Amino acid sequence: MYTKLIKDGVFLLSKNIEGILFEAMWEMPSGVTLNSYIVKGEKTAIIDGFCGWDGYPESLYELLEKIDVQLEDIKYVVINHMEPDHSGWIEDFRKMHKDFEILCSKESAALLEAFYSHTDNVRIIGDNDSVDLGEGKVLEFYKAPHVHWPDTIVTLEKSTGILFTCDNFGSFGTAEEHFDDELNAEELAHYESEARRYFASILGAFSPMLKRAVQKIEKIPFEIIAPGHGIIWRKDPKRIIEDYKYYADCNIKCTNKKATVLYGSMYDMSLKALPTIEEVLKEKEFEYTLINVMETDYASVLMDVLTSSAIVVLAPTYEYKMFPPMISTLKEIAIKKLSSRAVLYTGSYGWSGGAFKALKELSENERTKWDIVGDYGFKGSPTEEDLNKLREGLVELTERI
Ligand SMILES: Cc1cc2nc3c(=O)[nH]c(=O)nc-3n(C[C@H](O)[C@H](O)[C@H](O)COP(=O)(O)O)c2cc1C
Ligand SMILES: [Fe+2]
Ligand SMILES: [Fe+2]
């Protein structure tokens, strides 16, 4: 864990986490940071908790000593969001220090009770409420429900203009240089890509609520964006805000001339349709990505589909349904509400088919709003006629955008 001064008595405490799956399921090839913040006024507040802390008092004292904070100085703990990557430290912390008040939304308070049976010294704050820490430091709170849980708030420190946005504007990726003004163009692009990965796997399903939250945030007089994960946007906070607006719009409806071609096959019969797919997408000047669903983690699939208006599904029939790695990938895409996409199915079957029906059922059950172009399944190896029909279907797919 390490500390950095952001501005005038406001510090970042951060830990790089690698080699685990986020939420026990999402691959993070570049890891993630867990960020907390200390605001020093006459009273000190901690925002979003020391979640990288190992639970040992010595390590906490050592950390606080670096920024000249005594445990007794901490009078407020601000819970922006009760997910344990932000608030899982609180019970360990309470064993060492009791004289503090928790500031959180009423939804967070209910979760605090449900998770940790904690009900005392909790002050429920609502929109535009503020708490004066003394020495010019004032915290102001804004509700941002469902970014990512129903309880989420964002917290502004008014004198420095630092807005602590929790999951909103977060990204994956560990960090050493923690501010946008310390990074070169390539490094910034890396964090933007990691933000897309984070958005697609963690926040995408909440895009309509996120858009509402961003509209609200844009009216707050902030200067710096300090999220719970990733880097701090001190020089150009607009950049990550614009990225997030774009991702949320794309999640709901994407109009890019781009297709994600998802493929999976047992014996390579289905793959015989792949050259035709590439040919038509090139002809129609569609950008496209080929993704083997058996070798690709869900987060990588989702971050690609996020910016595609079309999905081509290439997979065989399996036990009268769709090849299992493909249907589970499609289900994940549906769960993340990557809706309003044009979708085409093709792939091989032996005797009955069934993959297309499984796709339609999934789409109906999950209310995907996918515009399904049609069934271009073929028996065994595709004939010239099969491929010609497929070509027509693909042309139609590109025209449905
Ligand atoms: C375990 C298994 C289950 C299958 N179930 C069906 C089925 O229910 N209906 C059908 O038409 N074909 C079924 N098939 C046949 C495949 O769809 C066919 O072999 C197809 O060519 C495989 O395509 P691939 O080479 O792209 O994997 C099954 C094949 C396997 C191995
Ligand atoms: Fe979260
Ligand atoms: Fe988080």
Side-chain angles (χ1 to χ4, degrees), residues 372-388:
I372 298 178
V373 172
D375 180 1
Y376 295 89
F378 46 86
K379 195 167 191 169
S381 197
T383 61
E384 245 340 277
E385 200 193 335
D386 290 330
L387 293 177
N388 283 336

Side-chain angles (χ1 to χ4, degrees), residues 127-128 141-145 154 210-222:
D127 253 336
N128 297 86
F141 310 99
Y142 303 87
K143 297 187 92 170
V154 299
L210 194 135
K211 283 182 70 165
R212 267 199 293 279
V214 173
Q215 273 172 8
K216 191 164 168 182
I217 286 170
E218 285 186 310
K219 295 191 186 113
I220 299 173
F222 68 85

Side-chain angles (χ1 to χ4, degrees), residues 16 30 45 93 98 185 194 215 278 301 331 385:
N16 285 329
S30 305
F93 183 67
K98 295 202 162 43
E194 288 294 315
Q215 273 172 8
E278 290 201 74
V301 172
K331 174 132 194 203
E385 200 193 335

Side-chain angles (χ1 to χ4, degrees), residues 4 9 93 128 167 183 201 241-242 310 372 392 399:
K4 278 192 175 175
F93 183 67
N128 297 86
D167 284 345
L183 302 171
S201 48
I241 293 176
E242 290 308 315
I372 298 178
E392 281 165 25
E399 284 166 359

Side-chain angles (χ1 to χ4, degrees), residues 22-23 34 81 83 85-86 148 166-167 198 202 228-229:
F22 199 74
E23 294 177 352
L34 300 182
H81 168 33
E83 189 168 7
D85 61 322
H86 301 265
H148 142 229
C166 198
D167 284 345
Y198 179 79
I202 310 300
H229 310 287

Side-chain angles (χ1 to χ4, degrees), residues 290-302:
L290 301 179
I291 295 182
N292 179 345
V293 296
M294 295 174 303
E295 288 175 359
T296 312
D297 65 281
Y298 285 150
S300 299
V301 172
L302 295 172

